[in-house]
Structures are given as C-alpha cells and as structure tokens.
Amino acid sequence: MSTQIFDPRYPIGDFDASADVSHSERAGLIDTIASLPRALRAAVHGLTDAQLDTPYRDGGWTVRQVVHHVPDSHANAYIRFRLALTEDEPTIRVYNEAKWAELPDARTLPVAPSLTLLEGLHARWVPLLREMSPQQYARMLVHPERGRLSLGSMLRLYDWHSRHHTAHITRLRERMRW
C-alpha cells in the first residue's frame, strides 16, 4: 500500500502537459474556467484580513496574493488566446509572476477588485472559448519557456490553473479549520 505525500505547492498535482485535448473534453475544461470566479469568491468568503494575509504554505504566497495573481494570469491567458487566433504562431511574453505578487497592490489591496476583474474578464473569455472551432483550438503559439503550444493545450493549462489556485485556498482553510 503506497502512501501519497501531500505537497501544498501542488494541491491537485502538477500540470500534465503531455495529453492533447479532445473535442469531447473541451466543454468540461471550459466549464471549470467559467466557474472559477464563483469558486474563488466562495473560497475567500468570510475571511478576515489576517486570514487573507496567511501564506497557503511555508514560504508561499498569501491568500491575498493568490487571489490577485489569478486575474493577472488569466488576463495574460486571454490576450495569448487572442494573439494566437489572429496571428501566425505568435511568440508570447512571459512575466515574472513572483515579482508581480510582491508589488504593493498584490500584497495589500482588498481582494474584491480582483474578484470583480476576474468576473468581467471571464465574461469575455468564456464565450470566446465556447465558440472556438476545433481548427482554432489547433492554432499554435510559442511560449518562450514551454515551446510551441496549441490553444487546446493552453485550455488544459488554465483549467488546471483554475483548480490549482482555488485548492491552495480551500486546502489552507481545511488545515486551519476556518
């Protein structure tokens, strides 16, 4: 009998980039992304400022930083999708997520503006994802660190990203009995 060791950095496991996304899988992945604003809002509902300023793991971001990170990341994803849909294999920009999380707004602002930003962003992004054709999901972009990626692979990444960061918060709440 094997014992699985919980790694708080990857509460749902590490991202698996190896699998291609089938047409039948897409709706479920999109549903996860669509439900993220509601899930993230529920994950932080009722938390105090002290709780929001608690790291989800030793050496990790605070809950507040995680919440601010998600719309930062998904705004970049939205733009990356639009670039790949309108350009031939664009090379996208990466950004230093750790440094963004240390900026004063990410460390100190209330989470409500980021939750609202995420809702508005997803109100635009999700309909685009639902209307994309299989040929559009096959379009490629070039990620400087991950190489060539299809938009189908990017969809899988942001499904994982949505569940990953929500689980950082919900698992912390479970451990702390909040």
Side-chain angles (χ1 to χ4, degrees):
M1 181 186 291
S2 71
T3 304
Q4 185 175 9
I5 305 218
F6 174 70
D7 183 345
R9 292 174 304 167
Y10 301 101
I12 63 166
D14 203 357
F15 175 64
D16 178 9
S18 64
D20 198 15
V21 177
S22 71
H23 177 71
S24 61
E25 278 184 283
R26 274 199 290 276
L29 300 176
I30 295 167
D31 287 346
T32 298
I33 293 168
S35 68
L36 175 64
R38 185 179 68 255
L40 194 60
R41 188 175 290 279
V44 298
H45 180 75
L47 293 181
T48 66
D49 278 334
Q51 290 167 328
L52 289 169
D53 291 330
T54 302
Y56 73 89
R57 66 172 175 88
D58 289 339
W61 291 342
T62 65
V63 171
R64 185 182 312 274
Q65 288 171 301
V66 170
V67 172
H68 291 310
H69 161 74
V70 173
D72 288 346
S73 174
H74 286 216
N76 275 283
Y78 173 68
I79 291 167
R80 290 168 178 176
F81 267 76
R82 293 181 71 81
L83 287 169
L85 288 168
T86 60
E87 299 177 17
D88 291 327
E89 291 197 25
T91 298
I92 59 167
R93 283 202 56 179
V94 294
Y95 67 102
N96 189 323
E97 296 173 356
K99 286 185 178 180
W100 282 38
E102 290 302 322
L103 292 172
D105 62 328
R107 286 186 296 102
T108 63
L109 284 182
V111 296
S114 282
L115 293 170
T116 299
L117 176 61
L118 189 65
E119 288 167 350
L121 175 64
H122 281 230
R124 287 275 314 270
W125 189 23
V126 170
L128 175 67
L129 295 173
R130 291 199 195 283
E131 292 299 321
M132 286 172 54
S133 69
Q135 295 79 16
Q136 288 173 313
Y137 275 105
R139 292 186 63 88
M140 304 296 282
L141 56 75
V142 179
H143 190 292
E145 296 166 352
R146 295 181 181 258
R148 291 178 75 236
L149 297 170
S150 71
L151 289 182
S153 295
M154 292 289 288
L155 182 67
R156 183 182 299 285
L157 174 62
Y158 286 96
D159 159 85
W160 174 86
H161 190 262
S162 298
R163 294 179 294 110
H164 169 74
H165 285 305
T166 302
H168 280 147
I169 299 166
T170 58
R171 297 279 174 90
L172 174 65
R173 289 188 77 150
E174 289 168 7
R175 288 194 312 274
M176 301 297 283
R177 294 187 170 89
W178 291 341

